[in-house]
């Protein structure tokens, strides 16, 4: 894999941060009371998923640009959700739980009436019969990722723009198929592999940043903040801020 010196240095430090994350045992939160525990545990889960995707991205052939783009979008979504949950705490967790139950109840309703086995039918009936969790002011953000993104004050980082650009290459869209269509040296239009067009995820820093945001969000919740030194280095290499706030602070 051929990288510019700056990218090679960035990748080396990202790999160290990934290793440091997975080497940690017994992460201890600064607060251990009430529903904040749920927010903390799920932030750790989102950060862990982002770390897995980040490691897979780095190990994926650069020529597999759509696959890397899908991974990059996943890292972005996991990182943003982790940051959002760390800022919204118990309200954010309850909103996510409401949305998860809403999705399950909708799926159960679609499955109702199908010729399924008895055990599955009982499960479907039980889900439909569940009382819906209360819907709070964060529910819309939990349901719609674009609203979650827009709720964060990210300074000069255009989160929504990045999200939309990634999304075009994460679904079966003309953007995906068109990325392989180009005019060859002979002047004929054809399908070429690897893709010749520049992709957002060709910029390593753009992919890495959301993973760093997630680790930073969790680090702030930990006793002794064990990842601070590594995060300071990442902030310097990325040349951008890694801290966020909510635009509507009073609702947090």
């Amino acid at each position: 894999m051929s990288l510019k010196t700056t990218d090679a240095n960035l990748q080396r430090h990202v790999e160290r941060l990934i290793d440091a994350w997975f080497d940690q045992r017994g992460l201890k939160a600064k607060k251990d009371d009430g529903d904040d525990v749920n927010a903390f545990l799920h932030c750790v889960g989102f950060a862990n998923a982002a770390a897995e995707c980040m490691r897979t991205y780095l190990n994926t052939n650069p020529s597999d640009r759509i696959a890397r783009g899908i991974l990059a979008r996943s890292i972005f979504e996991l990182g943003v959700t982790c940051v959002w949950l760390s800022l919204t705490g118990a309200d954010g967790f309850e909103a996510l739980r409401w949305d998860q139950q809403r999705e399950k109840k909708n799926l159960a309703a679609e499955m109702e009436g199908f010729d399924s086995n008895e055990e599955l039918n009982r499960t479907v009936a039980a889900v439909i019969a569940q009382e819906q969790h209360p819907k709070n002011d964060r529910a819309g953000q939990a349901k719609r990722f674009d609203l979650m993104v827009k709720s964060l004050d990210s300074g000069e980082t255009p989160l929504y723009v990045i999200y939309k650009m990634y999304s075009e290459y994460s679904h079966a869209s003309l953007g995906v198929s068109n990325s392989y269509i180009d005019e060859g040296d002979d002047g004929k239009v054809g399908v070429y592999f690897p893709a010749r067009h520049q992709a957002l995820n060709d910029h390593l820093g753009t992919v890495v940043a959301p993973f760093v945001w997630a680790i930073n969000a969790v680090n702030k919740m930990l006793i002794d903040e064990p990842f601070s030194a590594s995060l300071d280095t990442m902030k310097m290499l990325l040349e951008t801020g890694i801290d966020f706030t909510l635009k509507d602070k009073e609702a947090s």
Side-chain angles (χ1 to χ4, degrees):
M1 184 175 181
S2 177
L3 292 169
K4 297 177 182 179
T5 302
T6 53
D7 278 355
N9 191 36
L10 178 58
Q11 177 163 340
R12 183 167 60 253
H13 283 281
V14 172
E15 289 171 342
R16 288 176 181 173
L17 183 56
I18 293 171
D19 289 342
W21 171 261
F22 285 122
D23 284 345
Q24 286 291 318
R25 294 293 181 269
L27 297 175
K28 295 182 179 179
K30 292 178 180 177
K31 295 195 300 181
D32 60 358
D33 57 321
D35 290 333
D36 286 327
V37 172
N38 289 321
F40 168 71
L41 292 173
H42 287 272
C43 280
V44 172
F46 285 130
N48 202 72
E52 285 185 15
C53 290
M54 188 73 252
R55 183 168 58 187
T56 303
Y57 176 93
L58 295 175
N59 291 332
T60 301
N61 191 320
S63 295
D64 297 337
R65 298 175 73 192
I66 296 302
R68 279 163 62 94
I70 292 172
L71 284 165
R73 184 185 184 279
S74 295
I75 296 165
F76 182 83
E77 189 168 351
L78 290 163
V80 167
T81 304
C82 183
V83 170
W84 176 85
L85 180 56
S86 73
L87 294 171
T88 57
D91 286 343
F93 171 75
E94 289 301 329
L96 288 172
R97 189 166 69 157
W98 168 84
D99 187 52
Q100 181 188 54
Q101 187 190 41
R102 179 189 65 83
E103 291 278 8
K104 287 183 176 180
K105 288 175 78 71
N106 288 344
L107 177 59
E110 290 291 332
M111 295 174 65
E112 191 176 24
F114 276 84
D115 186 16
S116 305
N117 63 62
E118 185 176 346
E119 183 178 355
L120 181 57
N121 286 335
R122 285 198 300 269
T123 300
V124 168
V127 171
I128 292 175
Q130 286 178 355
E131 182 178 352
Q132 181 68 53
H133 291 305
K135 181 179 180 180
N136 65 21
D137 292 339
R138 295 289 178 186
Q141 295 166 13
K143 180 181 177 182
R144 289 181 48 186
F145 186 68
D146 60 321
L147 296 182
M148 181 186 293
V149 167
K150 290 179 179 179
S151 74
L152 297 174
D153 186 350
S154 56
E156 297 181 358
T157 304
L159 291 183
Y160 184 71
V161 173
I162 296 172
Y163 164 65
K164 294 300 290 185
M165 292 178 72
Y166 273 145
S167 294
E168 182 179 4
Y169 296 95
S170 302
H171 306 282
S173 68
L174 289 180
V176 169
S177 55
N178 190 58
S179 66
Y180 297 103
I181 299 172
D182 204 354
E183 184 176 300
D185 297 334
D186 57 2
K188 295 181 179 180
V189 175
V191 177
Y192 295 88
F193 181 82
R196 298 183 173 192
H197 302 293
Q198 187 179 45
L200 183 66
N201 54 280
D202 287 342
H203 302 284
L204 184 60
T206 306
V207 181
V208 166
F211 164 63
V212 175
W213 302 339
I215 302 301
N216 183 56
V218 173
N219 186 62
K220 290 179 177 181
M221 304 168 81
L222 298 175
I223 295 175
D224 298 331
E225 300 187 7
F227 303 104
S228 293
S230 296
L231 288 167
D232 286 343
T233 300
M234 293 303 305
K235 183 176 180 179
M236 179 185 66
L237 292 172
L238 291 170
E239 298 181 341
T240 186
I242 60 175
D243 296 299
F244 299 92
T245 57
L246 293 167
K247 289 181 179 177
D248 49 343
K249 295 180 181 179
E250 68 278 1
S252 63

